[in-house]
Amino acid sequence: MKKLFFLFLIISSTAGAQDLTLRKATMQTVNQGASPTSSTTYNVFLCQCKKGKWSVDSVISISSGQSVKFNMVKVDNPDAASPDYKQLDSYSNLGTGNYLISFGKTKQRGSGRPGAPQNTKVDTTNIEGGVVIYYSAGKKRKQMKVIEFEQLETIDAP
């Protein structure tokens, strides 16, 4: 009986360790026509499934160690055909629910002058190695590494 209680204590103490759950991470590149510019948009879909307050402190690129500017929205009814996205005033004191963190990288090459070849594509710099999302849950500082992003179809805009 004591062994069973001890096992339950260990399992229950580690169950609260994962406050934030990664549901999906995607990236999509858009090549803009005559202008030799490419943009890659990254989306990280998170779920705060447990009750409690939390906040996002920063998003850091693993490869460069630099801070990444990001935008975050709350997603109501994420399984619907057209989910409801709510802009957040602040990234602190967030509650239970689904959240989407978005950030991007744009790269230009050349002048983009009129008459430039239509099929010029820029080498897109990905956020290599992924990102680390630093967040606070209660009084504890935590981190979540997002290393792999699902590659969505590349769009070649006219």
Side-chain angles (χ1 to χ4, degrees):
M1 184 69 173
K2 287 182 182 180
K3 290 181 182 179
L4 185 61
F5 179 73
F6 182 70
L7 182 63
F8 175 75
L9 228 163
I10 290 174
I11 291 172
S12 65
S13 67
T14 58
Q18 191 68 349
D19 296 312
L20 219 53
T21 305
L22 176 66
R23 292 188 70 188
K24 191 175 190 179
T26 63
M27 64 182 276
Q28 185 169 37
T29 301
V30 177
N31 297 311
Q32 285 95 11
S35 170
T37 304
S38 289
S39 302
T40 303
T41 304
Y42 296 86
N43 291 313
V44 180
F45 191 57
L46 303 170
C47 177
Q48 171 62 12
C49 301
K50 297 187 180 208
K51 201 170 190 175
K53 297 291 182 188
W54 67 286
S55 60
V56 174
D57 301 324
S58 62
V59 177
I60 306 292
S61 170
I62 292 175
S63 62
S64 68
Q66 294 181 342
S67 181
V68 175
K69 287 187 177 185
F70 66 95
N71 186 31
M72 188 167 156
V73 293
K74 184 170 185 179
V75 183
D76 289 333
N77 200 5
D79 298 326
S82 181
D84 184 25
Y85 297 100
K86 293 183 180 176
Q87 184 66 38
L88 300 171
D89 296 330
S90 160
Y91 302 145
S92 60
N93 289 325
L94 303 171
T96 306
N98 297 295
Y99 295 88
L100 181 68
I101 296 177
S102 299
F103 50 92
K105 188 86 169 166
T106 302
K107 187 167 184 177
Q108 287 190 341
R109 181 178 68 205
S111 62
R113 66 186 188 284
Q118 290 289 329
N119 293 330
T120 303
K121 293 183 181 165
V122 179
D123 298 329
T124 308
T125 302
N126 295 338
I127 303 217
E128 295 171 12
V131 295
V132 179
I133 300 170
Y134 289 95
Y135 65 100
S136 300
K139 294 183 180 184
K140 296 181 181 178
R141 286 193 46 123
K142 299 184 177 191
Q143 65 182 12
M144 173 184 284
K145 286 186 180 180
V146 182
I147 297 172
E148 293 185 27
F149 292 89
E150 177 186 347
Q151 176 77 42
L152 300 178
E153 180 182 358
T154 299
I155 298 172
D156 292 322

